[in-house]
Amino acid sequence: MAVLNVHERLLAADPGEVGALVDALATAGDPLWPHADWPRMVLDRGLAPGSRGGHGPVRYTVAAHAPGQWVRFTFTGPRGFDGFHEFSVHAVEPGPGARPARGEDAGADRGPHADPAGAPRTVLRHTLAMHARGPARLTWPLAFRSFHDACLEDSLDRAELALTGTVARPARWSPYVRLLRRLTPG
């Protein structure tokens, strides 16, 4: 079963600030991973390629890391998770109606998704792409997908809070996620 699962948040911050959150994954002061409510992300050598670890029963190896831009993890468990997950940082250019910044060409093309006032905006994206095989054909849709979705929305809330001091629309766990959490240890 092919799985593509994408979560993203448009953040009022420049790409360097957002990239710093990604670069701090699995550190003692990790501002991105929602470790208060979910198993902590642990990596034996930080974000260095080849580093091993995971969170809870989900295990992976760091496949690649471009500091400030992107990190990809290749799954090593649970059984049947054949693929990767990654965080990536995407700059958003100011929109066509934006006021030019000082010294900027007033006729410059600025793209469709930016803040009309020209403030920096960046998309933080998490992508999971895998083939669910064997037991994962059941465990992904019955449990892992709901846990994953809730955990990633909590992570994006943490990013927004770290960068802006507030969360405009905090994520809420579904009744199904709350039930699963009561039924699972840890």
Side-chain angles (χ1 to χ4, degrees):
M1 165 177 38
V3 175
L4 177 63
N5 182 289
V6 178
H7 292 260
E8 62 182 29
R9 183 82 48 98
L10 179 63
L11 300 165
D14 68 54
E17 293 172 301
V18 178
L21 296 179
V22 172
D23 290 346
L25 278 166
T27 63
D30 184 344
L32 183 56
W33 193 257
H35 48 79
D37 294 313
W38 299 98
R40 184 175 289 280
M41 179 185 279
V42 177
L43 296 167
D44 65 357
R45 294 184 294 119
L47 295 179
S51 180
R52 295 173 183 228
H55 57 278
V58 181
R59 313 310 299 161
Y60 37 83
T61 300
V62 177
H65 177 222
Q69 299 172 31
W70 171 72
V71 62
R72 177 174 286 185
F73 306 94
T74 303
F75 290 116
T76 59
R79 206 175 76 169
F81 277 42
D82 182 13
F84 68 88
H85 72 106
E86 67 185 18
F87 281 97
S88 56
V89 175
H90 306 271
V92 178
E93 297 298 320
R99 291 173 293 186
R102 191 175 319 194
E104 182 181 5
D105 177 7
D109 180 17
R110 295 186 181 85
H113 298 96
D115 176 61
R121 299 285 184 172
T122 304
V123 170
L124 175 59
R125 179 175 300 138
H126 182 274
T127 303
L128 179 150
M130 70 174 182
H131 283 91
R133 303 183 194 283
R137 292 176 62 87
L138 289 175
T139 61
W140 170 257
L142 292 177
F144 281 106
R145 177 178 50 209
S146 295
F147 279 153
H148 170 81
D149 289 346
C151 179
L152 262 295
E153 289 302 317
D154 288 350
S155 179
L156 294 172
D157 281 357
R158 285 181 55 88
E160 186 175 348
L161 182 63
L163 296 167
T164 69
T166 188
V167 179
R169 288 180 297 283
R172 301 203 189 289
W173 294 347
S174 71
Y176 186 62
V177 168
R178 290 193 303 271
L179 172 66
L180 287 174
R181 286 184 58 93
R182 282 195 298 272
L183 295 175
T184 54

